[in-house]
């Protein structure tokens, strides 16, 4: 009986905290970037803040409208902060290790910039015609929100120790098509590896495709809203939109780490996904929520999730500090042993 009670008390902590182990001997070329973000989660955000300030200064000195730049950046920030919740759920669906997620987002940045360029300059007259694609993405968001809510409420969690993507129906569907050319286990941040002279794709390749497909819908939504704010200073608002979009991606490490330490934030992620999905579907029918509503909802829900985690005693900050201290002690011991030899 006591053993059962103890097991029940530990149930919320069944999923192990990320350890950074996949950063060791990472065969992928994104390894150094992931290692930098793992060591300093705020590093990319600081870099983007500096870049954004420099761009603003250049625009100001060139005589362009800084108001258009800041306005586009603000609208993009308001629209995109909830998008990272969907990115987070895509990573969870494919069981992508948290250590290698930042690099995956940034490797897709050139494609994201290209899509925004086409929407701003080459497709100004037809971007409305591809908005229906958002309905399917909205349904996916709502579905994933429902899944997260159900799993969290029932206390179900999967063991991610082996980081195997076989539980993903998408991966197994592509596995039937590609056969042995597609692996179901991750190899660090590598998109493919060469084994016995044959190049084989890892699930990271499929995750990248999924992220960029959903980002196309977000581009359509963001660009259409920004055009309502300002449609005269196209080049300036394009630059502001790009800076803000990359800055939002730089925020992801904070989101992932916070959700891991405060389990009740999964409720917040679920509700945000439901709201985003509903908003995207309603937008196709001509009923759009004000840009700031979703961002405000996300802030309130995340605050409630963190407070709830602390009040219910499931906050894992102390556990994370203990794990970090243990890892540092082991590293120090190994270094001391190497010097002794």
């Amino acid at each position: 009986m006591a053993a059962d009670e103890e097991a029940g008390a530990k149930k919320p902590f069944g999923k192990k905290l990320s350890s950074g182990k996949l950063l060791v001997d990472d065969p992928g070329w994104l390894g150094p970037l992931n290692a930098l973000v793992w060591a300093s989660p705020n590093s990319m955000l600081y870099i983007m803040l500096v870049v954004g300030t420099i761009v603003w200064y250049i625009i100001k000195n060139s005589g362009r409208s800084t108001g258009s730049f800041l306005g586009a950046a603000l609208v993009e920030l308001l629209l995109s902060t909830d998008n990272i919740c969907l990115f987070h759920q895509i990573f969870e669906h494919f069981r992508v290790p948290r250590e290698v997620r930042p690099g995956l987002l940034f490797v897709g940045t050139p494609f994201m910039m290209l899509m925004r360029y086409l929407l701003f300059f080459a497709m100004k007259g037809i971007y409305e015609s591809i908005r229906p694609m958002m309905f399917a993405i909205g349904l996916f968001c709502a579905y994933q929100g429902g899944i997260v809510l159900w799993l969290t409420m029932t206390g179900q969690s999967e063991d991610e120790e082996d980081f195997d993507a076989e539980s993903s129906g998408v991966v197994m569907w592509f596995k039937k098509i590609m056969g042995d050319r597609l692996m179901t286990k991750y190899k660090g941040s590598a998109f493919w590896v060469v084994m016995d002279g044959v190049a084989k794709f890892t699930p990271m390749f499929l995750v990248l495709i999924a992220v960029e497909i959903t980002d196309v819908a977000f581009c359509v939504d963001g660009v259409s809203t920004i055009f309502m704010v300002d449609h005269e200073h196209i080049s300036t608002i394009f630059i502001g939109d790009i800076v803000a979009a990359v800055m939002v991606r730089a925020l992801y490490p904070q989101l992932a780490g916070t959700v891991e330490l405060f389990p009740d934030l999964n409720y917040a992620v679920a509700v945000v996904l439901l709201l985003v999905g509903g908003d995207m579907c309603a937008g196709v029918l001509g009923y759009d929520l004000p840009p700031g509503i979703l961002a405000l909802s996300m802030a309130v829900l995340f605050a409630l999730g963190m407070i709830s985690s602390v009040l219910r005693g499931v906050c894992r900050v102390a556990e994370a500090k203990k794990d970090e201290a243990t890892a540092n002690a082991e590293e120090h011991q190994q270094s001391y042993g190497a010097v002794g030899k």
Side-chain angles (χ1 to χ4, degrees):
M1 180 69 69
D4 293 340
E5 291 179 357
E6 183 178 356
K10 292 182 178 180
K11 188 173 182 180
F13 307 104
K15 185 184 293 186
K16 293 183 179 180
L17 293 174
S18 302
S19 62
K21 68 178 183 179
L22 287 189
L23 297 175
V24 180
D25 300 325
D26 184 353
W29 57 275
L30 292 172
L33 174 61
N34 288 322
L36 170 64
V37 177
W38 180 260
S40 178
N42 295 321
S43 56
M44 298 306 298
L45 180 60
Y46 293 152
I47 292 173
M48 285 310 305
L49 286 173
V50 172
V51 171
T53 302
I54 293 174
V55 171
W56 173 83
Y57 183 78
I58 293 174
I59 290 176
K60 180 181 179 181
N61 286 347
S62 64
R64 294 183 177 182
S65 172
T66 56
S68 298
F69 170 80
L70 294 175
L74 178 60
V75 171
E76 182 61 37
L77 285 173
L78 291 174
L79 290 173
S80 297
T81 48
D82 50 357
N83 296 351
I84 56 178
C85 285
L86 179 56
F87 291 150
H88 177 73
Q89 186 53 31
I90 290 175
F91 292 146
E92 291 292 311
H93 173 80
F94 286 96
R95 301 183 70 181
V96 183
R98 185 164 73 87
E99 298 92 325
V100 300
R101 295 177 183 181
L104 186 60
L105 281 179
F106 276 93
V107 77
T109 300
F111 177 79
M112 177 268 292
M113 295 173 66
L114 174 62
M115 284 304 305
R116 278 172 163 75
Y117 177 84
L118 291 176
L119 289 170
F120 269 105
F121 297 99
M123 303 169 69
K124 288 187 294 182
I126 64 173
Y127 67 86
E128 286 288 346
S129 64
I130 61 177
R131 282 174 63 94
M133 180 182 63
M134 295 169 57
F135 195 85
I137 303 296
L139 290 178
F140 173 77
C141 286
Y143 170 75
Q144 289 297 321
I147 292 294
V148 174
L149 187 60
W150 180 74
L151 290 176
T152 305
M153 292 180 66
T154 56
Q156 298 186 38
S157 63
E158 297 177 288
D159 182 14
E160 299 185 2
E161 184 65 20
D162 293 330
F163 304 110
D164 198 324
E166 285 188 351
S167 61
S168 168
V170 176
V171 172
M172 298 314 297
W173 185 75
F174 273 95
K175 179 72 173 177
K176 292 180 181 179
I177 298 175
M178 302 176 65
D180 293 337
R181 296 297 298 272
L182 177 64
M183 306 172 62
T184 60
K185 293 185 181 295
Y186 291 94
K187 299 294 182 180
S189 61
F191 293 98
W192 64 81
V193 293
V194 178
M195 302 178 65
D196 299 326
V198 179
K200 297 184 177 183
F201 291 99
T202 71
M204 287 282 280
F205 180 73
L206 298 181
V207 180
L208 178 63
I209 294 176
V211 168
E212 296 314 314
I213 288 177
T214 56
D215 199 42
V216 170
F218 293 146
C219 285
V220 175
D221 187 36
V223 171
S224 61
T225 303
I226 290 173
F227 266 122
M228 296 177 187
V229 176
D230 187 341
H231 56 273
E232 296 181 359
H233 308 89
I234 303 299
S235 60
T236 303
I237 62 176
F238 167 71
I239 296 173
D241 178 75
I242 291 296
V243 171
V246 178
M247 192 174 297
V248 167
R249 293 192 173 208
L251 285 171
Y252 179 75
Q254 286 81 4
L255 171 69
T258 305
V259 170
E260 192 174 44
L261 296 179
F262 297 88
D264 283 355
L265 281 177
N266 285 295
Y267 290 107
V269 172
V271 176
V272 169
L273 288 173
L274 289 170
L275 288 174
V276 172
D279 179 54
M280 294 180 73
C281 291
V284 176
L285 303 177
Y287 301 98
D288 287 306
L289 289 175
I293 294 297
L294 288 175
L296 179 61
S297 300
M298 182 177 176
V300 172
L301 289 168
F302 268 59
L304 292 175
M306 295 175 69
I307 294 172
S308 174
S309 297
V310 174
L311 294 179
R312 294 200 314 117
V314 296
C315 179
R316 307 182 71 180
V317 173
E319 182 183 347
K321 291 181 178 179
K322 182 179 179 181
D323 289 349
E324 182 179 2
T326 302
N328 292 336
E330 291 177 353
E331 183 179 356
H332 181 269
Q333 185 176 4
Q334 291 175 359
S335 301
Y336 181 79
V339 172
K341 292 180 180 179

